[in-house]
Amino acid sequence: MFTAIFQDHFRYLALCVFAALVLGGAAWWLARRLGNPYGVAWAGLVGAVAGVLGVTFMGAGPAEGTCVVNHDFGQPFQTVQGLWNLAMMVPLGLFAALAVRRPLPVLVGVITLPLAIEFTQATVNGLGRVCDSADAEMNILGGLLGVAAGALILSLRHRPLDWRARSTPSLITAAVILVLGAGVARPAVSFTHVDGTGLSAASTDQREAVQRAVEEAFGDRYELAHVQDQPCVGAPCTNVIFILLSRDRKHPQVYGHGTLSWPDGKHLNVLLQDGDRPTVMGYPVPGAKAPTDEESAFRIAESYMHERYPWAKHAVTHKTHPVGARAELGWVTSWQWLDGDVLMPRMLDVEVSRTGTVSQVDVTLGPTDLDLEKPKLNAAQAEKAVREAMAARSRARGHDAPAGFQVKAVTLKAHERQGKWRAEWLVNVSLGAEGQPSDPAGTSASDMWRVDAVTGQTYDGVDTAVETG
């Protein structure tokens, strides 16, 4: 667990310990000079604060300007990160109670510090990490447990805390911090509200799986930063979301991001550059020059493929197409396997930027040959099935049939359900040209529905079966 938490930053950790000892020793010396009898407690408090700040900002990078507000208060107790956030604040609360011996100022401190840390992570470049209410929740709870332990120790020594001391200044300070914090945080940070089905800290196994997938795709060029999981809605799966940072410390503000399907780990998508402006995040291919057309872009993508995913050279087909009307974002090459007209699960997409670097990679593992039942529905029948399913869902909810949507069958693709592979139509459902709002049935402005090409069973954009009867 220790290695998973610190991700081998042991030199940094040793420096934090050294700084905590030095600052704690300085606090003890100053307390003795001022005649304060609680020098040891002050040394512990200062050392604990230094340790918390050092560990909290370890591996910090660009600030994302957002905070996740987790409404599932029990979720952090189920993760290693959550329990660590609780444990590391217990000594701080304990030494604060023993050093200050006035409970209200101590309570204001142990509540304010975690909130200030999360705000800093969301807004200050170079100190940015994931801003999450769950982290603040566990930090505060750990601090309160430490204060309670300190109060118990003093009570056993017949030196109880004085609840009246400094009560008025503490309450005024708390009120001022609350008002100022709310006034500053609301315009400076955007809040994303989630529950237990939303973002949460990734497990050790998930982080290790992401690390292996990233190293397979890019070697050791990038540093893995934040890793979180997001369970699929209504399905027993998880998308592990992660951030990649450049090892070039001159550009701390740039990063890439990606997802890895879990628990199968069969689908990896990494976006290194988002836009037509080149950054240090682009993955360089040895010998590559800026491409000028589809052919030169394909050669770069092919070199990357041979370097990182040589299995794709056995693909049945490959296609290269521009990204943007004039290839403003570069070109994408797709390696695919086909069984008749049915697209097989395994595929590789490599996007090459205008500068000749790899800007995005999409990898899907799976079989390249399957014994599938022959499809019975054509594209038009699949589109009709989706329209009927949308209408049936609307009727079941007491609404009129949805209007203003375009329904287009895209391709046939093999999909595994309950251990069995089926040929399914991918059907894109999007708003029509008139731009009408989403229908009451809940279809979003752009969804990919699926239709079983044998049975006609329809699945909506979140892969939930839709009944038409």
Side-chain angles (χ1 to χ4, degrees):
M1 183 182 85
F2 192 82
T3 302
I5 291 172
F6 292 106
Q7 295 299 312
D8 297 325
H9 291 291
F10 293 114
R11 291 184 180 178
Y12 178 87
L13 181 61
L15 181 61
C16 288
V17 172
F18 177 74
L21 291 174
V22 171
L23 293 174
W28 173 84
W29 177 82
L30 183 60
R32 290 291 300 269
R33 287 292 302 269
L34 297 176
N36 189 299
Y38 312 126
V40 174
W42 278 104
L45 174 59
V46 172
V49 171
V52 167
L53 294 178
V55 171
T56 297
F57 295 114
M58 178 177 61
E64 300 178 11
T66 61
C67 273
V68 176
V69 180
N70 191 343
H71 296 279
D72 184 356
F73 298 109
Q75 183 270 334
F77 292 92
Q78 304 172 20
T79 66
V80 172
Q81 178 177 326
L83 296 176
W84 171 255
N85 281 328
L86 184 149
M88 73 177 184
M89 286 290 291
V90 172
L92 190 150
L94 171 64
F95 286 119
L98 297 178
V100 180
R101 305 207 174 192
R102 298 181 179 91
L104 288 179
V106 171
L107 292 176
V108 171
V110 297
I111 293 174
T112 301
L113 180 60
L115 297 177
I117 288 174
E118 296 303 314
F119 179 75
T120 301
Q121 290 175 333
T123 58
V124 180
N125 281 327
L127 296 178
R129 291 185 69 184
V130 175
C131 173
D132 194 330
S133 68
D135 292 347
E137 170 196 341
M138 299 302 279
N139 284 163
I140 292 172
L141 181 57
L144 295 178
L145 290 175
V147 173
L152 178 61
I153 292 174
L154 292 174
S155 178
L156 293 175
R157 294 180 177 181
H158 304 290
R159 299 174 181 176
L161 296 174
D162 186 355
W163 285 90
R164 295 182 179 181
R166 303 273 183 176
S167 58
T168 300
S170 299
L171 294 175
I172 294 175
T173 301
V176 171
I177 292 174
L178 179 63
V179 173
L180 291 179
V184 173
R186 294 183 71 87
V189 180
S190 61
F191 296 93
T192 302
H193 294 267
V194 302
D195 54 23
T197 62
L199 295 176
S200 60
S203 67
T204 301
D205 289 343
Q206 288 172 329
R207 188 177 184 98
E208 290 177 348
V210 170
Q211 186 71 56
R212 288 193 299 270
V214 169
E215 289 180 353
E216 181 180 15
F218 310 111
D220 61 353
R221 181 172 180 81
Y222 305 106
E223 179 180 347
L224 183 62
H226 318 312
V227 184
Q228 296 177 296
D229 68 8
Q230 185 175 34
C232 301
V233 178
C237 63
T238 293
N239 293 315
V240 183
I241 304 170
F242 57 90
I243 299 293
L244 294 180
L245 301 178
S246 170
R247 294 189 183 277
D248 185 349
R249 299 304 181 184
K250 297 178 181 179
H251 302 275
Q253 75 281 3
V254 297
Y255 59 91
H257 56 85
T259 61
L260 178 69
S261 62
W262 186 264
D264 58 30
K266 292 182 178 180
H267 182 216
L268 172 71
N269 179 272
V270 181
L271 180 61
L272 298 172
Q273 291 181 182
D274 188 9
D276 56 358
R277 294 183 179 181
T279 71
V280 296
M281 291 302 296
Y283 181 80
V285 177
K289 299 180 180 179
T292 57
D293 53 22
E294 292 182 4
E295 180 63 24
S296 55
F298 166 70
R299 295 305 175 194
I300 297 174
E302 185 180 39
S303 295
Y304 171 81
M305 177 269 289
H306 282 291
E307 176 190 5
R308 292 295 169 184
Y309 298 102
W311 48 259
K313 64 184 179 182
H314 301 295
V316 173
T317 181
H318 65 78
K319 298 178 181 179
T320 302
H321 60 84
V323 183
R326 298 181 179 180
E328 296 91 344
L329 303 181
W331 294 264
V332 170
T333 299
S334 299
W335 286 270
Q336 299 176 342
W337 281 260
L338 293 169
D339 185 356
D341 294 330
V342 182
L343 185 64
M344 293 291 100
R346 180 171 292 243
M347 59 183 62
L348 171 66
D349 290 354
V350 178
E351 181 176 327
V352 176
S353 70
R354 299 285 304 195
T355 60
T357 61
V358 173
S359 55
Q360 184 170 195
V361 175
D362 191 278
V363 186
T364 304
L365 303 178
T368 60
D369 183 39
L370 292 167
D371 185 15
L372 299 173
E373 189 173 351
K374 185 177 180 179
K376 298 179 179 179
L377 274 66
N378 59 28
Q381 292 170 322
E383 293 169 359
K384 180 181 178 182
V386 170
R387 293 190 185 97
E388 291 177 349
M390 294 172 64
R393 173 175 285 185
S394 293
R395 289 193 301 269
R397 298 180 179 180
H399 302 297
D400 295 332
F405 284 90
Q406 294 181 349
V407 179
K408 179 67 175 177
V410 179
T411 189
L412 266 173
K413 186 175 181 181
H415 186 75
E416 186 178 21
R417 294 189 184 278
Q418 298 178 345
K420 186 175 182 180
W421 289 96
R422 312 282 294 185
E424 296 184 349
W425 280 101
L426 301 185
V427 182
N428 187 62
V429 178
S430 59
L431 283 171
E434 58 268 33
Q436 297 183 15
S438 298
D439 67 291
T443 304
S444 67
S446 181
D447 278 338
M448 189 65 73
W449 288 46
R450 292 176 176 269
V451 179
D452 190 305
V454 177
T455 66
Q457 175 63 60
T458 304
Y459 303 87
D460 64 13
V462 293
D463 214 26
T464 301
V466 182
E467 301 299 331
T468 58

